[in-house]
Amino acid sequence: MTALSDAQRMEKIVSLCKRRGFIFQSSEIYGGLNGLWDYGPLGVELKRNLKNCWWRVMVHERNDVVGMDGSILMNRAVWKASGHEDTFVDPMIDCRSCKSRLRADQVFEKKGAKQCPICGSKDLTEPRAFNLMFKTHVGATEDEASITYLRPETAQAIFVQFKNVLEVSRKKLPFGIAQIGKAFRNEINPRNFTFRSREFEQMELEYFCRPEQGMELLEYWKDERLKFYGNIGIPRSKLHVLTVPDEERAFYSKGTYDIEYEFPFGRQELEGVAYRTDYDLSQHQKASGKSLEYFDEETKQKFIPHVVEPSAGVDRTVLALICEAYSEDQAPDEKGNMETRIVLRFHPRVAPIKCAVLPLLKNKEPLVAKAKEIVDLLRPHMYIFYDESGAIGRRYRRQDEIGTPFAITVDFETLGEKDPALRDTVTLRDRDSMKQERIRISELTHLLLTRIA
Ligand code: ATP
């Protein structure tokens, strides 16, 4: 078998995503809308599993983090104070020949002149600021006073609720507030499938601390976040930590790392970990006139906390999980001939379906009844898929292709027809090794729960 090129690999991934119901183009029957995607039945499971893993590790397993869920629309004053209204802009260049709008950093010079990367024309405008926020109006009148924006990041809701959350949670520094939610950016060139979308989800933690703890916590959170990716099946060897150079960092940040993943289309950012100093809280305190200070009971000092922010993209991580999981190998078909098998080797923790339950034959009532009993036994603990149609090998392949790590087959031995000692045992097949083991039904729940934990 010849190795796939990166472009071929990406093409196969996009087509599998559609064919098996992970990701569809938004509004597809109307020709779609650029940069917008819908998650199908399997995609939504993968995404929820990822978000649940993040929430468990970042909130439930810690004493120093609480969660919140802010609104998408906020008072316009938030976006003025945060700087987004004035500075959340990309410089853009228009091509007068082909009418493309291009990000200035994607237009390169050739022989001393800037050239359109699409049509090659040199008839380009000067760079102009383009605000990435989607503008909308709240209420019945569409005037200047009713303007606000769809949030371009979830973080600002955390900053403006800092005081409320601090009071109700009675936390002491350092402590964090976590949030998962939608964000919207009118990206100029949405591309690379879901990688750069106009609507996406973020998983953000704002970890508040004393000024002197900032740099140390920046290192701590970078390391914690690298560990997280390892625990969901993205190996350290495919991740890279980019230290964002001084001139590219936001002026208020004292240090920023980008965690990048080797996508088939290149090394690209999955998450930013930034030490944002006290910039955000200070801005909101100034603009709102409300104190956002922290009172230290021990030293009797009042100050604005500093913050370290690990900010990850749900959609980019889902895409990384799919790219990492995609593989092709050789496996025997029904007649023993070798064929190419597509397998999504998801970590069981994030796999959309944990286990398939398959009666060997669909027209043998006792097999079907037993299989359905097993479904009822496992369903309270994990997402199970029941499938009785088609040859067993074909059913295994269908599960391999969507990354189901385990398959249980109910056969005549389960009924005790050949050997009474095997009554109430089933075969448990492993997706990656394709090995099968004989397991007692009474042991299945415990065994599977251990393997998917
Ligand atoms: P980029 O440089 O790729 O535009 P960014 O540095 O502007 O990203 P941040 O503002 O740091 O991104 O946002 C934090 C995270 O949100 C990113 O690491 C990414 O995972 C996710 N994200 C940002 N923009 C998009 C987008 N257009 N589509 C999907 N995810 C995004």
Side-chain angles (χ1 to χ4, degrees), residues 88 90 103 132 152-153 185 187 194-204 258-259 268-273 309 311-317:
F88 196 61
D90 271 350
R103 257 171 56 174
L132 295 178
E153 61 174 35
R185 296 184 189 176
E187 297 281 359
T194 57
F195 178 82
R196 188 172 296 287
S197 306
R198 290 183 163 138
E199 174 175 340
F200 54 96
E201 266 184 289
Q202 291 183 314
M203 306 183 279
E204 294 195 299
D258 283 351
I259 300 179
Q268 299 277 355
E269 175 181 332
L270 270 188
E271 166 160 0
V273 185
E309 174 198 78
S311 170
V314 174
D315 310 77
R316 285 188 187 178
T317 311

